[in-house]
Amino acid sequence: MTKYVSLPPDSDIETFFVHMNKQEVILSENLEKSLQTATDKNKYDKLFILTDECTHRLCLPLVQPFGFLSDAEHIVIGATDTHKTLETLAHVWKSLGDKEATRHSLMINLGGGMVTDLGGFAASTFKRGIAYINIPTTLLAMVDASVGGKTGINFNGLKNEIGVFSPARSVLIDTDFLRTLDYQNLASGYAEMIKHGLISTTDHWGELLNFDLQQTDYKALQTLVAKSVKIKEDIVEQDPLEHGIRKALNLGHTVGHAFESLALEENRPHLHGYAVAWGMVCELYLANLKCGFPTDKMRQTIRFIRETYGNFHFDCKHYDRLYKFMTHDKKNTSGIINFTLLGEVGDIRINQSATRQEIDEMFDFYRETML
Ligand code: GLY
């Protein structure tokens, strides 16, 4: 006989979701201890560790000696976003099945955003969902991808087209992994931190623009990472399913995803954070035009982005294609391109639109400013 449970009233569903799925995010100073505690919280029968070819080589050796991982099964996938595909996902599902994972198994995703997104999706769908823990190893994954429960894969030429909201049981952030990162990957993650600065406070935005990424002070970076993660966590906690304020985290992404898709289509891929940084240049222009975002702060942010990320080259022949990519964005409703803009640092304006003419002018501005 079917037994019905009464769901909380509509207004409480978000709160219900938050409590059922509250994700623990730990800034770890001792990964062995933190991971032991996190795995002990889950009664699992089998443990799986998912890595990509890079983190298998560079990061797994740092956790493999942990005694409680000695029986863990390993699954390795190809590195970079080009492997964030249905084929890779099927490989992970098949490996879990072949290695006899059950619904009570636990998966540890050790890697960057590609591994935590795809691994989170594989875990969340295998046998209707097994528990997983994220150990992000890139700056981008630490401050963004691994926190907040978005999982998925690219599909049909579109980024993160297929996926579910399904939070990791624990996210363990150990900034020592950042020492294995090259400059480009550090800069890529830093773009999401700049975004968090822009949507939070002038103080935090200012300290981010003054940080020297070339001569990285890792201790100072750890403090900035902690602030950045807190900003994201606070927003996700208020709106886990992105009906409202979580859209603040999309700043720079409407145009950024279009740049990323164009670059991919033309076989000149760029790291996600670079595209987001260039996207923020465009969207700060719109913010300035439509919401009165201060010109001096727009200029200072653009200067930092130009010096750190260089330029993304395109010309007016690409405008139609970029516009088309933006119309496919998941964030749109009824075919209207949805932007998150700002009236000031921390003054978030979600659900903003722009005319085609304003968008063309935005691209003109980008090309003139970033030369
Ligand atoms: N990466 C944006 C979000 O998690 O909502």
Side-chain angles (χ1 to χ4, degrees):
M1 200 178 92
T2 312
K3 204 169 160 206
Y4 294 95
V5 284
S6 55
L7 272 175
D10 241 16
S11 58
D12 289 346
I13 284 189
E14 294 282 281
T15 329
F16 179 71
F17 182 91
V18 174
H19 291 309
M20 292 300 289
N21 294 277
K22 177 104 175 72
Q23 180 173 63
E24 170 187 72
V25 183
I26 309 275
L27 244 104
S28 174
E29 297 278 354
N30 180 338
L31 188 58
E32 180 168 8
K33 211 164 140 219
S34 309
L35 185 55
Q36 171 96 68
T37 310
T39 52
D40 283 353
K41 281 187 188 154
N42 296 279
K43 303 262 168 288
Y44 62 88
D45 55 3
K46 255 186 158 204
L47 200 52
F48 289 82
I49 304 179
L50 180 73
T51 50
D52 67 25
E53 283 157 359
C54 281
T55 57
H56 186 75
R57 192 163 40 84
L58 294 170
C59 305
L60 187 63
L62 303 178
V63 303
Q64 207 155 19
F66 302 168
F68 58 98
L69 296 182
S70 59
D71 290 335
E73 298 276 6
H74 293 256
I75 305 175
V76 187
I77 56 177
T80 80
D81 212 59
T82 52
H83 290 98
K84 201 173 170 185
T85 60
L86 195 53
E87 289 71 33
T88 311
L89 177 67
H91 167 73
V92 177
W93 281 331
K94 181 154 184 347
S95 305
L96 286 169
D98 290 351
K99 292 172 195 279
E100 295 173 354
T102 73
R103 190 181 263 183
H104 308 289
S105 298
L106 176 65
M107 189 143 101
I108 298 170
N109 298 318
L110 177 68
M114 197 282 259
V115 171
T116 59
D117 276 15
L118 187 142
F121 188 45
S124 306
T125 45
F126 184 78
K127 294 192 191 286
R128 297 213 176 91
I130 64 173
Y132 73 97
I133 291 171
N134 281 340
I135 306 180
T137 57
T138 64
L139 185 56
L140 189 94
M142 287 179 196
V143 298
D144 190 26
S146 74
V147 178
K150 280 189 181 176
T151 69
I153 56 165
N154 302 334
F155 187 70
N156 204 18
L158 295 167
K159 284 195 49 82
N160 303 326
E161 178 76 345
I162 309 292
V164 291
F165 284 99
S166 172
R169 290 288 165 89
S170 307
V171 181
L172 309 178
I173 297 175
D174 182 340
T175 52
D176 271 351
F177 283 116
L178 297 179
R179 294 174 192 270
T180 67
L181 275 194
D182 56 36
Y183 174 76
Q184 277 75 21
N185 274 290
L186 210 55
S188 179
Y190 203 76
E192 299 286 1
M193 295 172 67
I194 298 287
K195 177 192 80 181
H196 290 161
L198 283 165
I199 62 174
S200 59
T201 62
T202 301
D203 278 356
H204 185 48
W205 164 81
E207 66 181 341
L208 287 164
L209 292 198
N210 284 319
F211 185 74
D212 186 354
L213 257 190
Q214 305 272 358
Q215 315 285 327
T216 312
D217 171 346
Y218 286 96
K219 197 76 208 153
L221 182 60
Q222 186 186 39
T223 308
L224 293 176
V225 167
K227 288 188 188 177
S228 214
V229 172
K230 178 85 173 65
I231 291 163
K232 172 143 190 187
E233 262 191 290
D234 285 350
I235 289 179
V236 170
E237 205 163 308
Q238 291 172 58
D239 177 24
L241 301 182
E242 198 174 297
H243 295 313
I245 192 62
R246 185 166 181 167
K247 294 182 188 179
L249 300 170
N250 295 333
L251 178 70
H253 284 65
T254 302
V255 181
H257 279 156
F259 283 159
E260 218 174 347
S261 302
L262 179 70
L264 204 62
E265 190 174 73
E266 296 190 338
N267 255 326
R268 47 172 179 136
H270 287 289
L271 291 172
H272 175 70
Y274 278 63
V276 170
W278 297 321
M280 282 193 287
V281 171
C282 291
E283 293 180 22
L284 283 180
Y285 166 81
L286 283 186
N288 177 258
L289 180 78
K290 298 178 76 79
C291 308
F293 185 81
T295 305
D296 57 335
K297 287 183 177 143
M298 175 185 74
R299 295 269 170 214
Q300 285 177 62
T301 313
I302 291 176
R303 189 177 326 117
F304 181 89
I305 290 174
R306 197 175 46 228
E307 282 166 9
T308 309
Y309 300 93
N311 186 12
F312 178 66
H313 295 275
F314 63 95
D315 59 39
C316 50
K317 289 198 293 296
H318 289 107
Y319 288 14
D320 278 348
R321 195 75 195 118
L322 288 167
Y323 190 79
K324 189 120 208 156
F325 280 127
M326 287 194 285
T327 58
H328 279 292
D329 201 287
K330 283 189 289 303
K331 302 182 287 293
N332 299 336
T333 31
S334 321
I336 296 168
I337 300 173
N338 191 298
F339 293 95
T340 293
L341 302 178
L342 300 169
E344 231 310 349
V345 171
D347 175 9
I348 299 156
R349 313 278 179 92
I350 61 169
N351 297 331
Q352 301 294 306
S353 59
T355 63
R356 173 66 203 248
Q357 191 183 333
E358 286 166 338
I359 289 173
D360 284 354
E361 282 164 12
M362 168 187 87
F363 288 138
D364 289 342
F365 169 85
Y366 177 93
R367 288 170 55 226
E368 282 154 22
T369 315
M370 296 294 279
L371 276 179

